[in-house]
Amino acid sequence: VFKKLKKKKKKMLLRLDRSMSSVTIPPPACMLRPLEVPLRYLFGPGPSNVPPRILAAGSRPIIGHLHPEMYEIMNDIKKGIQYAFQTENNMTIAMSGSGHAAMECAVFNTVEPGESVLIAINGIWGERVAEIAERMGANVHRMVKTPGRYFTNTEIEQHKPVLLFLAHGESSAGLCHPVDGIGDICRKHDCLFLVDTVASLGAAPIFMDKQNIDILYSGSQKALNAPPGTAPISFNDRACHKMFNRKTKPVSYLFDMTHLSNYWGCDGKPARVYHHTGPVSGFFALRESLAILAERGLEESWEKHKEVAAYLYRGLEDLGLKLFVPERDLRLPSVTTIAIPEGYDWREMLTYIMKHHCIEMTGGLGPSIGMVMRIGLMGYNCEKTNADMALHALADALKNCKKSKA
């Protein structure tokens, strides 16, 4: 009886405490349930599935973002990026953020209000960079082609900007743009060459130093297979001279390379000063993904993506599907685009594939919406067995989704 009275008294005191509390909004019911995440095969343009080794690295105990051990890990990341980019640039770091963070960092630090920039637009990423540059006051000139088409070096040389942007891996269209010779043109006209390799790094050859690329950036979540949230970027001496001799401060404090270069130990100063709290677990995962790439070797990674992509192409053609980029050498090995099958609703097909096969494939993005469906097999997912899964799911969707008679 005493125990029952004591328990009852405790409940009454608890109710009294709640009634006297200043909290008027109760805990949301969803937060009182455990987290549930479905298993999905991520065969879209990214993010890709993360291998167990990288997941394990990201789950290691947190350490302070300014601890000496963290600096060692950041130094390792820098060396891993230099290998992946094929560069000896000292000014090589990983942004705390997705590929968009690196995109903004590149533009904000090397372009000042009123300066002219030339943006090659043949998909969504050129559109994004153009908007970013306009927002910070640059004079933006656009070269535009339909998704899947590329620019010749002669077309590029007709302009005289301070910076030229080009997407090496235009994932919205499945195009891998030729880069050779463009860096030489930019140097001839004292123009910085900015290249996006978010969708192509590790999947298609890129040589930052040999190809005279002044600024190169990528993302963690595609062929590198790390979780989204970190973005490698590198600046050569030409780019550093431009960004560290500005008349005005960059519009972003977070992306100011004056501070980030110190945080990453790239400015030659003996001490690193607090700037922001980097994504510690994200850096663990990025380091591990770069280690896997180094162990495997770039050439082997490039060849594997090329081989699996060719296998996928044959399977798609056997299904009667048309590859969107006709020139085989211009296809992005990591993200394959197919023309939407005539008479089919692409949204219905993708929904069917997700529902019945737990596979993510996607439609177009930006200017390629309504033109393509996209299949991504990159890094950890770059296997013929996964290509077979994707082909089986597509065949099933073609058989069971409604086709218009028109």
Side-chain angles (χ1 to χ4, degrees):
V1 175
F2 179 74
K3 284 184 177 179
K4 285 184 178 180
L5 288 170
K6 190 175 181 181
K7 193 174 181 181
K8 190 175 181 181
K9 184 180 179 182
K10 190 175 181 181
K11 284 184 176 179
M12 289 176 65
L13 288 171
L14 186 60
R15 289 196 196 101
L16 183 64
D17 285 344
R18 284 178 178 171
S19 67
M20 295 173 66
S21 171
S22 60
V23 175
T24 58
I25 299 174
C30 62
M31 291 293 101
L32 304 179
R33 298 194 300 267
L35 173 67
E36 294 183 9
V37 179
L39 173 63
R40 298 265 165 80
Y41 297 99
L42 302 180
F43 298 167
S48 54
N49 292 104
V50 179
R53 178 174 161 184
I54 296 176
L55 286 173
S59 67
R60 297 247 180 150
I62 290 285
I63 59 175
H65 62 291
L66 300 177
H67 289 184
E69 296 85 356
M70 193 66 226
Y71 292 155
E72 284 186 35
I73 291 167
M74 293 166 74
N75 291 341
D76 290 348
I77 289 170
K78 176 179 176 177
K79 291 173 184 174
I81 296 170
Q82 288 172 324
Y83 171 69
F85 284 5
Q86 286 296 284
T87 183
E88 295 180 350
N89 293 339
N90 173 60
M91 199 60 65
T92 301
I93 70 171
M95 301 296 298
S96 301
S98 68
H100 277 79
M103 184 187 288
E104 291 205 335
C105 176
V107 176
F108 288 169
N109 281 279
T110 59
V111 180
E112 296 197 65
E115 290 186 325
S116 294
V117 298
L118 177 62
I119 311 297
I121 300 174
N122 55 353
I124 192 170
W125 305 120
E127 289 184 346
R128 289 284 169 90
V129 173
E131 181 170 345
I132 288 167
E134 281 182 335
R135 286 183 177 216
M136 55 77 58
N139 184 13
V140 176
H141 302 276
R142 292 170 168 84
M143 288 192 303
V144 182
K145 291 205 173 183
T146 56
R149 307 312 301 165
Y150 72 100
F151 301 91
T152 66
N153 291 9
T154 302
E155 290 171 322
I156 290 169
E157 194 166 11
Q158 293 174 4
H159 303 266
K160 304 293 184 290
V162 299
L163 179 138
L164 165 68
F165 168 83
L166 183 76
H168 177 237
E170 180 44 84
S171 58
S172 67
L175 181 83
C176 190
H177 201 289
V179 173
D180 286 345
I182 299 176
D184 299 331
I185 293 170
C186 289
R187 294 203 172 186
K188 177 181 174 183
H189 297 287
D190 196 25
C191 165
L192 295 179
F193 186 25
L194 167 62
V195 177
D196 177 317
T197 62
V198 172
S200 58
L201 185 69
I206 193 78
F207 302 92
M208 185 173 187
D209 289 356
K210 287 182 182 178
Q211 293 173 316
N212 285 332
I213 298 168
D214 299 297
I215 312 155
L216 189 70
Y217 69 84
S218 192
S220 58
Q221 76 276 17
K222 309 265 184 174
L224 290 181
N225 294 137
T230 56
I233 188 169
S234 182
F235 301 82
N236 68 7
D237 288 343
R238 293 180 75 237
C240 288
H241 179 77
K242 177 78 167 67
M243 70 182 177
F244 293 135
N245 289 278
R246 299 172 58 95
K247 297 174 184 176
T248 60
K249 290 183 178 181
V251 295
S252 170
Y253 179 85
L254 179 61
F255 297 156
D256 189 337
M257 282 300 297
T258 303
H259 303 299
L260 289 174
S261 62
N262 175 264
Y263 180 46
W264 279 85
C266 299
D267 64 352
K269 294 181 180 177
R272 303 192 194 191
V273 180
Y274 170 74
H275 173 248
H276 74 284
T277 303
V280 173
S281 296
F283 286 155
F284 291 170
L286 178 61
R287 187 220 178 268
E288 199 69 9
S289 72
L290 290 165
I292 290 171
L293 182 62
E295 291 165 10
R296 186 180 195 181
L298 279 169
E299 294 92 344
E300 184 179 326
S301 183
W302 295 335
E303 187 58 36
K304 182 67 176 291
H305 283 83
K306 184 179 179 180
E307 177 189 338
V308 173
Y311 180 84
L312 179 63
Y313 300 158
R314 290 193 295 272
L316 292 168
E317 289 170 340
D318 288 344
L319 289 175
L321 296 169
K322 181 182 178 182
L323 291 156
F324 182 70
V325 178
E327 301 94 335
R328 192 182 188 90
D329 291 343
L330 295 179
R331 293 173 190 160
L332 182 60
S334 50
V335 181
T336 297
T337 46
I338 56 174
I340 297 168
E342 188 176 352
Y344 285 92
D345 181 334
W346 62 272
R347 290 185 179 88
E348 183 188 355
M349 288 186 68
L350 296 176
T351 301
Y352 180 91
I353 289 169
M354 177 64 83
K355 180 180 179 180
H356 294 277
H357 298 273
C358 294
I359 292 175
E360 178 196 49
M361 297 180 197
T362 68
L365 190 64
S368 68
I369 291 176
M371 299 175 71
V372 301
M373 292 168 58
R374 299 184 290 163
I375 308 163
L377 297 175
M378 52 190 97
Y380 181 60
N381 286 346
C382 185
E383 297 290 344
K384 290 181 180 178
T385 52
N386 288 336
D388 286 334
M389 286 177 62
L391 292 167
H392 173 70
L394 282 165
D396 189 29
L398 289 168
K399 181 180 178 181
N400 290 288
C401 291
K402 294 177 183 177
K403 182 180 180 181
S404 66
K405 295 180 181 179

